[in-house]
Amino acid sequence: MDVSSKIRAGRRWLAGPEPWPARRTAGECVLAAVLALLAAGTQELMGSAGPAQFATALAVAVLSLLRRRLPATVLVVSGGAAGELAGFGPLLIVAGWSAGRRIPGAGKVLAAFTASCVLNIVVGAASELPRFSPLSLVMFSTLYFLATTVVPGLASRYWTQRRTLLHALQEHNAQLLRERAMVAGQARLRERQRIAQDMHDSLGHQLALISVHTGALEVDPALTDRQREGVGVLRDASVAAMHELREVVGILRDGVERDDAAAAPGLPPVEDPRPAARGAAGIEGLVAAARAAGNAVELRCAGSRRPLAAAADHAAYRIVQEALTNAYKHAPGAAITVELRYEPDSLVVEIANGPAPADPGDVVSGGQGLTGLRERARLVGGMVHAGRTDGGGFRVAGVLPYGADGLGPGTGAAPLVDVEDDFRQQSPVVPLGNGGQVMDWTVVQRELAMSGGRGSRSSGVVLGCGIAVGALVLLLVAGGFGLFFLAGSAERGMIEPGDYEAVKVGTAEKEVRESLPNGDSFMTSGLRDKGPARPEGSECLVLASSEFGESLAAEPVFRFCFRDGKLIEKKSYDVVH
């Protein structure tokens, strides 16, 4: 294994279950370097230098890189080391944040933080016990650990659990949407099957009867040629309608092939002498059939023919078919013009008829034909317009884009939008299924709004600010108690150099003790056994000076020794820690 492979394996091991991209690797290295510099600077302020300072910085950098892989171990080691070496303080904050989110299980988290806190207090007390009282050490160490380690750990764990919960809700919501779409699709399929069966059993039977009876009537010798021609038109129309019905039934059955032998129960199959071409190519057949029925229909074509997408091609056929049907019903006998214009980017289909020569009377109409045409054209990116002309006639015009099959390179054509539509109808539709994740973001936005934010980033900022404020309040409270405690303790163990000079040897012990503090303070707890030898048989009062010494390591001390009720000696000296 070469060096690069070992480096990659080591990086994967450090990253743990989460992959480390190059950006994360660089960020971790920069953070380790910053923590190492902070540790080195802190140790230098505390009087450490040389190999000890370098070893502390190196240990902090290594532990920083290991905190993702071994969060509990790094937390406990950092807590113990921070009790002795102040340079591990910044690392302890980062280790608390990482351990809060990476240690699985509340019990393990509690155990890791408790062990780190106890170790921090024990090591700190062992190093500072001669100078400070055990109660003060435990109180300040606990407050410090809570503010710098527990609060970041709780904040990190809450943020991680909230993000995990939100992701789980999104996944669950997407799964519900997919299941709902599947249920709706199954319901639609069953309904379409039922409709297809009803159409096949009822309309197919009736159309087959019409075809058979018109075929028998067509060969009746009693009919004139004109009548026989009309009956032939009816028979052809019924056969074409029957074949179109089979195609519609096949579509409703979602691709189930039609059974040409099952035109109607108990009837033989009927061959279609003129299969219906349900596209732009079949418009000529519609016009020919209309002419054969005695209508004056003119067909005009302009431009070079281009292929259309299947849906658009079928829409063009249906527009002409519906417009001709309306012209037959509402303006019987009027001249009809059908025009097909192949424009550079779309096919324009226009059907216009003149005013009706006579009152058509009561016309039975469903009223949904034009609405269906508009919807059909909208689905393929086109539009349909219908309205009366200036001469009293009626005009239906449709504009249909060629689509992916008919657009040439560089045409730059775009789907058309009907003026009656709005932009919401043109919004993209994300398909349901395995192709991509589908989210109902209203649920997510509602959940985020309940947390006080407009999105994940803003809510995270609000949460972070709240935790920061809480930690600041906790530190202020702890600092207030600490200052109050320090002020009282300093008053009992510290005097001014002038007070030391004012005390004279030989003064009565009672008078001296009344003028001086009693020395019961953590500031003097480690000073009593240090300094010059005491006079034999004497009892001494040791007090700290209110002034600083020549260095941070040297502390000025005043000592008053009493024997037989009098002050027999006073000394001023420095205690080096």
Coordinates of all heavy atoms in Angstrom, one line a residue, residues 115-183:
A115 N -18.3 11.6 33.4 CA -16.9 11.2 33.6 C -15.9 12.3 33.3 O -15.0 12.5 34.1 CB -16.6 10.0 32.7
S116 N -16.2 13.1 32.3 CA -15.3 14.2 31.9 C -15.4 15.3 33.0 O -14.4 15.8 33.4 CB -15.7 14.8 30.6 OG -14.9 15.9 30.3
C117 N -16.6 15.6 33.5 CA -16.7 16.6 34.6 C -16.0 16.1 35.9 O -15.3 16.9 36.5 CB -18.2 16.8 34.8 SG -18.6 18.1 36.1
V118 N -16.2 14.9 36.3 CA -15.6 14.4 37.5 C -14.1 14.4 37.4 O -13.4 14.8 38.3 CB -16.1 13.0 37.8 CG1 -15.3 12.4 39.0 CG2 -17.6 13.0 38.2
L119 N -13.6 14.0 36.2 CA -12.2 14.0 36.0 C -11.6 15.4 36.0 O -10.5 15.6 36.6 CB -11.8 13.3 34.7 CG -10.4 12.9 34.5 CD1 -9.9 12.0 35.6 CD2 -10.2 12.2 33.1
N120 N -12.3 16.3 35.4 CA -11.9 17.7 35.4 C -11.8 18.3 36.8 O -10.9 19.0 37.2 CB -12.9 18.5 34.5 CG -12.5 20.0 34.5 OD1 -12.9 20.8 35.3 ND2 -11.6 20.3 33.5
I121 N -12.8 18.0 37.6 CA -12.9 18.5 39.0 C -11.8 17.9 39.8 O -11.0 18.5 40.6 CB -14.2 18.2 39.6 CG1 -15.3 19.1 38.9 CG2 -14.2 18.6 41.1 CD1 -16.7 18.8 39.4
V122 N -11.6 16.5 39.7 CA -10.6 15.8 40.5 C -9.2 16.3 40.2 O -8.3 16.6 41.1 CB -10.7 14.3 40.3 CG1 -9.5 13.6 41.0 CG2 -12.0 13.8 40.9
V123 N -8.8 16.4 38.9 CA -7.5 16.8 38.5 C -7.3 18.3 38.9 O -6.2 18.6 39.4 CB -7.3 16.6 37.0 CG1 -6.0 17.2 36.5 CG2 -7.4 15.1 36.6
G124 N -8.3 19.1 38.7 CA -8.1 20.5 39.1 C -8.0 20.7 40.6 O -7.1 21.5 41.0
A125 N -8.7 19.9 41.3 CA -8.6 20.0 42.8 C -7.3 19.5 43.3 O -6.6 20.1 44.2 CB -9.7 19.2 43.5
A126 N -6.7 18.4 42.6 CA -5.5 17.9 43.0 C -4.3 18.9 42.8 O -3.3 18.9 43.5 CB -5.2 16.6 42.3
S127 N -4.4 19.7 41.7 CA -3.4 20.7 41.4 C -3.5 22.0 42.2 O -2.6 22.7 42.4 CB -3.4 20.9 39.9 OG -4.6 21.5 39.5
E128 N -4.7 22.3 42.6 CA -5.0 23.6 43.3 C -5.4 23.5 44.7 O -5.7 24.5 45.4 CB -6.0 24.4 42.5 CG -5.7 24.7 41.1 CD -4.5 25.6 40.9 OE1 -4.2 26.4 41.9 OE2 -3.9 25.7 39.8
L129 N -5.5 22.3 45.3 CA -6.0 22.1 46.6 C -5.3 22.9 47.7 O -5.9 23.4 48.6 CB -6.1 20.6 46.9 CG -6.9 20.3 48.2 CD1 -8.3 20.8 48.1 CD2 -6.9 18.8 48.5
P130 N -4.0 22.9 47.7 CA -3.3 23.7 48.8 C -3.6 25.2 48.8 O -3.6 25.8 49.8 CB -1.8 23.5 48.5 CG -1.8 22.2 47.7 CD -3.0 22.2 46.8
R131 N -4.0 25.7 47.6 CA -4.2 27.2 47.6 C -5.7 27.5 47.8 O -6.0 28.6 48.2 CB -3.7 27.7 46.2 CG -2.3 27.5 45.9 CD -1.9 28.0 44.5 NE -2.3 29.4 44.4 CZ -2.3 30.1 43.2 NH1 -2.1 29.4 42.1 NH2 -2.7 31.4 43.2
F132 N -6.6 26.7 47.4 CA -8.0 27.0 47.4 C -8.7 25.9 48.3 O -8.3 24.8 48.4 CB -8.6 27.0 46.0 CG -8.0 28.0 45.1 CD1 -7.0 27.7 44.3 CD2 -8.4 29.3 45.2 CE1 -6.4 28.6 43.4 CE2 -7.9 30.3 44.3 CZ -6.8 29.9 43.5
S133 N -9.9 26.3 48.8 CA -10.7 25.3 49.6 C -11.4 24.4 48.7 O -11.7 24.7 47.5 CB -11.7 26.1 50.4 OG -12.6 26.8 49.6
P134 N -11.7 23.1 49.1 CA -12.3 22.1 48.3 C -13.7 22.6 47.8 O -14.1 22.3 46.6 CB -12.4 20.9 49.2 CG -11.3 21.1 50.2 CD -11.2 22.6 50.4
L135 N -14.5 23.3 48.6 CA -15.8 23.7 48.2 C -15.7 24.7 47.1 O -16.5 24.6 46.1 CB -16.5 24.4 49.4 CG -17.9 24.9 49.1 CD1 -18.8 23.7 48.7 CD2 -18.5 25.6 50.4
S136 N -14.8 25.7 47.2 CA -14.7 26.7 46.1 C -14.2 26.0 44.8 O -14.6 26.4 43.7 CB -13.7 27.8 46.5 OG -12.4 27.3 46.8
L137 N -13.3 25.0 44.9 CA -12.8 24.4 43.7 C -13.9 23.6 43.0 O -14.1 23.7 41.8 CB -11.6 23.4 44.1 CG -10.3 24.1 44.4 CD1 -9.3 23.0 44.9 CD2 -9.7 24.7 43.1
V138 N -14.7 22.9 43.8 CA -15.8 22.1 43.2 C -16.8 23.0 42.5 O -17.3 22.8 41.4 CB -16.4 21.2 44.2 CG1 -17.7 20.5 43.7 CG2 -15.5 20.1 44.7
M139 N -17.1 24.1 43.2 CA -18.2 25.0 42.7 C -17.7 25.7 41.4 O -18.4 25.7 40.4 CB -18.5 26.1 43.7 CG -19.6 27.0 43.3 SD -19.9 28.4 44.4 CE -18.4 29.4 44.1
F140 N -16.5 26.2 41.4 CA -16.0 26.9 40.2 C -15.8 25.9 39.0 O -16.0 26.2 37.9 CB -14.8 27.7 40.5 CG -15.0 29.0 41.2 CD1 -14.7 29.2 42.5 CD2 -15.7 30.0 40.6 CE1 -14.9 30.4 43.2 CE2 -16.0 31.2 41.2 CZ -15.6 31.4 42.5
S141 N -15.2 24.8 39.4 CA -15.0 23.8 38.3 C -16.3 23.3 37.7 O -16.4 23.1 36.4 CB -14.2 22.6 38.9 OG -12.9 23.0 39.3
T142 N -17.3 23.1 38.5 CA -18.6 22.6 38.0 C -19.2 23.7 37.1 O -19.8 23.4 36.0 CB -19.5 22.3 39.1 OG1 -18.9 21.3 39.9 CG2 -20.9 21.7 38.6
L143 N -19.2 24.9 37.6 CA -19.8 26.0 36.8 C -19.1 26.2 35.4 O -19.7 26.4 34.4 CB -19.8 27.3 37.6 CG -20.8 27.4 38.7 CD1 -20.6 28.7 39.5 CD2 -22.2 27.3 38.2
Y144 N -17.7 26.1 35.5 CA -16.9 26.3 34.3 C -17.3 25.1 33.3 O -17.4 25.4 32.1 CB -15.5 26.2 34.7 CG -14.5 26.2 33.5 CD1 -14.3 27.4 32.8 CD2 -13.9 25.1 33.1 CE1 -13.4 27.4 31.7 CE2 -13.1 25.0 32.0 CZ -12.8 26.2 31.3 OH -12.0 26.2 30.2
F145 N -17.4 23.9 33.8 CA -17.6 22.8 32.9 C -19.0 22.9 32.3 O -19.3 22.6 31.2 CB -17.5 21.5 33.7 CG -17.5 20.2 32.8 CD1 -16.4 19.8 32.2 CD2 -18.7 19.5 32.6 CE1 -16.4 18.7 31.4 CE2 -18.7 18.4 31.8 CZ -17.6 18.0 31.2
L146 N -20.0 23.3 33.1 CA -21.4 23.5 32.6 C -21.4 24.5 31.5 O -22.1 24.3 30.5 CB -22.3 23.8 33.8 CG -22.7 22.7 34.8 CD1 -23.5 23.3 35.9 CD2 -23.4 21.6 34.1
A147 N -20.8 25.6 31.7 CA -20.9 26.7 30.8 C -20.1 26.4 29.5 O -20.5 26.8 28.4 CB -20.4 28.0 31.4
T148 N -18.9 25.8 29.6 CA -18.1 25.6 28.4 C -18.2 24.3 27.7 O -17.8 24.2 26.6 CB -16.6 25.8 28.9 OG1 -16.3 24.8 29.8 CG2 -16.3 27.2 29.5
T149 N -18.8 23.3 28.4 CA -18.9 22.0 27.8 C -20.3 21.4 27.7 O -20.7 21.0 26.6 CB -18.0 21.0 28.6 OG1 -16.7 21.5 28.8 CG2 -17.9 19.7 27.9
V150 N -21.1 21.5 28.8 CA -22.4 20.9 28.8 C -23.3 21.7 27.9 O -24.1 21.2 27.1 CB -22.9 20.8 30.2 CG1 -24.4 20.3 30.2 CG2 -22.1 19.9 31.1
V151 N -23.3 23.1 28.0 CA -24.2 23.9 27.2 C -23.9 23.7 25.7 O -24.9 23.5 24.9 CB -24.1 25.4 27.6 CG1 -24.8 26.3 26.6 CG2 -24.6 25.6 29.0
P152 N -22.7 23.7 25.2 CA -22.5 23.4 23.8 C -22.9 22.0 23.4 O -23.4 21.8 22.3 CB -21.0 23.6 23.6 CG -20.6 24.5 24.7 CD -21.4 24.2 25.8
G153 N -22.7 21.0 24.3 CA -23.1 19.7 24.0 C -24.6 19.5 23.9 O -25.1 18.9 23.0
L154 N -25.3 20.2 24.8 CA -26.8 20.1 24.7 C -27.3 20.8 23.5 O -28.2 20.3 22.8 CB -27.4 20.8 26.0 CG -27.2 20.0 27.3 CD1 -27.8 20.8 28.4 CD2 -27.9 18.6 27.2
A155 N -26.7 22.0 23.2 CA -27.1 22.7 21.9 C -26.9 21.9 20.7 O -27.7 21.8 19.8 CB -26.4 24.0 21.9
S156 N -25.7 21.2 20.6 CA -25.4 20.4 19.5 C -26.3 19.2 19.4 O -26.8 18.9 18.3 CB -23.9 19.9 19.6 OG -23.6 19.0 18.5
R157 N -26.6 18.6 20.5 CA -27.5 17.4 20.4 C -28.9 17.8 20.0 O -29.6 17.1 19.3 CB -27.5 16.7 21.8 CG -28.2 15.3 21.7 CD -27.8 14.5 23.0 NE -28.3 13.1 22.8 CZ -27.6 12.2 22.2 NH1 -26.4 12.5 21.6 NH2 -28.1 11.0 22.1
Y158 N -29.4 18.9 20.6 CA -30.7 19.4 20.2 C -30.8 19.7 18.7 O -31.8 19.3 18.0 CB -31.1 20.6 21.0 CG -32.4 21.2 20.5 CD1 -33.6 20.7 20.8 CD2 -32.4 22.4 19.8 CE1 -34.8 21.3 20.4 CE2 -33.5 23.0 19.3 CZ -34.7 22.4 19.6 OH -35.9 23.0 19.2
W159 N -29.8 20.4 18.2 CA -29.8 20.8 16.8 C -29.7 19.5 15.9 O -30.4 19.5 14.9 CB -28.6 21.7 16.5 CG -28.5 22.1 15.1 CD1 -29.2 23.1 14.5 CD2 -27.6 21.6 14.1 NE1 -28.8 23.2 13.2 CE2 -27.8 22.3 12.9 CE3 -26.6 20.6 14.2 CZ2 -27.1 22.0 11.8 CZ3 -25.9 20.4 13.0 CH2 -26.1 21.1 11.8
T160 N -28.9 18.6 16.3 CA -28.8 17.3 15.5 C -30.1 16.5 15.5 O -30.5 16.1 14.5 CB -27.6 16.5 16.0 OG1 -26.4 17.3 16.0 CG2 -27.4 15.3 15.1
Q161 N -30.7 16.4 16.7 CA -31.9 15.6 16.8 C -33.0 16.3 16.0 O -33.9 15.6 15.4 CB -32.3 15.4 18.2 CG -31.4 14.4 19.0 CD -31.8 14.2 20.4 OE1 -32.6 14.9 20.9 NE2 -31.2 13.2 21.0
R162 N -33.1 17.6 16.1 CA -34.1 18.3 15.4 C -34.0 18.2 13.9 O -34.9 18.0 13.1 CB -34.1 19.8 15.8 CG -35.1 20.7 15.1 CD -35.0 22.1 15.5 NE -35.9 23.0 14.8 CZ -35.8 23.4 13.6 NH1 -34.7 23.2 13.0 NH2 -36.7 24.2 13.0
R163 N -32.7 18.3 13.4 CA -32.5 18.1 12.0 C -32.8 16.7 11.5 O -33.4 16.4 10.5 CB -31.0 18.4 11.7 CG -30.7 18.3 10.2 CD -29.2 18.6 9.9 NE -28.4 17.7 10.5 CZ -27.0 17.6 10.4 NH1 -26.4 18.6 9.7 NH2 -26.3 16.7 11.0
T164 N -32.5 15.7 12.4 CA -32.8 14.3 12.0 C -34.3 14.1 12.0 O -34.9 13.4 11.1 CB -32.2 13.3 13.1 OG1 -30.7 13.6 13.1 CG2 -32.5 11.9 12.7
L165 N -35.0 14.7 13.0 CA -36.5 14.5 13.0 C -37.1 15.2 11.8 O -38.0 14.7 11.2 CB -37.0 15.2 14.3 CG -38.5 15.2 14.5 CD1 -39.1 13.8 14.5 CD2 -38.9 16.0 15.7
L166 N -36.6 16.4 11.4 CA -37.2 17.1 10.3 C -36.9 16.2 9.0 O -37.8 16.1 8.1 CB -36.5 18.4 10.1 CG -37.0 19.3 9.0 CD1 -38.5 19.6 9.1 CD2 -36.3 20.6 9.0
H167 N -35.7 15.7 8.9 CA -35.5 14.8 7.7 C -36.4 13.6 7.7 O -36.9 13.2 6.6 CB -34.0 14.4 7.7 CG -33.6 13.6 6.6 ND1 -33.5 14.1 5.3 CD2 -33.3 12.2 6.5 CE1 -33.1 13.1 4.4 NE2 -33.0 12.0 5.1
A168 N -36.6 13.0 8.9 CA -37.5 11.8 8.9 C -38.9 12.2 8.6 O -39.6 11.5 7.9 CB -37.4 11.2 10.3
L169 N -39.3 13.4 9.0 CA -40.7 13.9 8.6 C -40.8 14.1 7.1 O -41.8 13.8 6.5 CB -41.0 15.2 9.4 CG -41.3 15.0 10.9 CD1 -41.5 16.4 11.5 CD2 -42.5 14.2 11.1
Q170 N -39.8 14.6 6.5 CA -39.8 14.9 5.1 C -39.8 13.5 4.4 O -40.6 13.4 3.4 CB -38.5 15.6 4.7 CG -38.5 17.1 5.2 CD -37.2 17.7 4.9 OE1 -36.3 17.1 4.4 NE2 -37.1 19.0 5.2
E171 N -39.0 12.5 4.8 CA -39.1 11.2 4.2 C -40.4 10.6 4.3 O -41.0 10.0 3.4 CB -38.0 10.3 4.8 CG -36.6 10.8 4.4 CD -36.2 10.5 3.0 OE1 -37.0 9.7 2.3 OE2 -35.2 11.1 2.5
H172 N -41.0 10.7 5.5 CA -42.3 10.1 5.8 C -43.4 10.8 4.9 O -44.3 10.1 4.4 CB -42.6 10.2 7.3 CG -44.0 9.6 7.6 ND1 -44.3 8.3 7.5 CD2 -45.1 10.2 8.1 CE1 -45.5 8.1 7.9 NE2 -46.0 9.2 8.3
N173 N -43.3 12.1 4.8 CA -44.3 12.8 4.0 C -44.1 12.5 2.6 O -45.2 12.3 1.9 CB -44.1 14.3 4.2 CG -45.2 15.1 3.6 OD1 -46.3 14.8 3.8 ND2 -44.8 16.2 2.9
A174 N -42.9 12.3 2.1 CA -42.7 11.9 0.7 C -43.3 10.5 0.4 O -43.9 10.3 -0.6 CB -41.2 12.0 0.3
Q175 N -43.1 9.6 1.4 CA -43.6 8.3 1.3 C -45.1 8.3 1.2 O -45.8 7.6 0.5 CB -43.1 7.4 2.4 CG -43.6 6.0 2.3 CD -43.1 5.2 1.1 OE1 -42.0 5.6 0.6 NE2 -43.8 4.2 0.7
L176 N -45.7 9.1 2.1 CA -47.2 9.2 2.1 C -47.7 9.8 0.8 O -48.7 9.3 0.2 CB -47.7 10.1 3.2 CG -47.5 9.6 4.7 CD1 -48.0 10.6 5.7 CD2 -48.3 8.3 4.8
L177 N -47.0 10.8 0.2 CA -47.4 11.3 -1.1 C -47.3 10.3 -2.2 O -48.2 10.2 -3.1 CB -46.6 12.5 -1.4 CG -46.8 13.8 -0.6 CD1 -45.8 14.9 -1.0 CD2 -48.2 14.3 -0.8
R178 N -46.2 9.5 -2.1 CA -46.1 8.4 -3.2 C -47.2 7.4 -3.0 O -47.8 6.9 -4.0 CB -44.7 7.8 -3.0 CG -43.6 8.6 -3.6 CD -42.3 7.8 -3.7 NE -41.7 7.5 -2.4 CZ -40.8 8.2 -1.7 NH1 -40.4 9.4 -2.3 NH2 -40.4 7.9 -0.6
E179 N -47.5 7.0 -1.8 CA -48.5 6.0 -1.6 C -49.9 6.6 -2.0 O -50.7 5.9 -2.6 CB -48.6 5.6 -0.1 CG -47.3 4.8 0.3 CD -47.4 4.5 1.8 OE1 -48.3 4.9 2.5 OE2 -46.5 3.8 2.3
R180 N -50.1 7.9 -1.7 CA -51.4 8.5 -2.1 C -51.5 8.5 -3.6 O -52.6 8.3 -4.2 CB -51.5 9.9 -1.5 CG -52.8 10.6 -1.8 CD -52.9 11.9 -1.1 NE -51.9 12.8 -1.7 CZ -51.8 14.1 -1.2 NH1 -52.5 14.5 -0.2 NH2 -50.9 14.9 -1.8
A181 N -50.4 8.8 -4.3 CA -50.5 8.8 -5.7 C -50.7 7.4 -6.3 O -51.5 7.3 -7.3 CB -49.1 9.4 -6.3
M182 N -50.1 6.4 -5.7 CA -50.3 5.1 -6.1 C -51.8 4.6 -5.9 O -52.4 4.0 -6.8 CB -49.4 4.1 -5.4 CG -47.9 4.3 -5.7 SD -46.9 3.2 -4.7 CE -47.5 1.6 -5.2
V183 N -52.4 5.0 -4.8 CA -53.8 4.7 -4.5 C -54.7 5.4 -5.5 O -55.6 4.8 -6.0 CB -54.1 5.0 -3.0 CG1 -55.6 4.9 -2.8 CG2 -53.4 4.1 -2.1

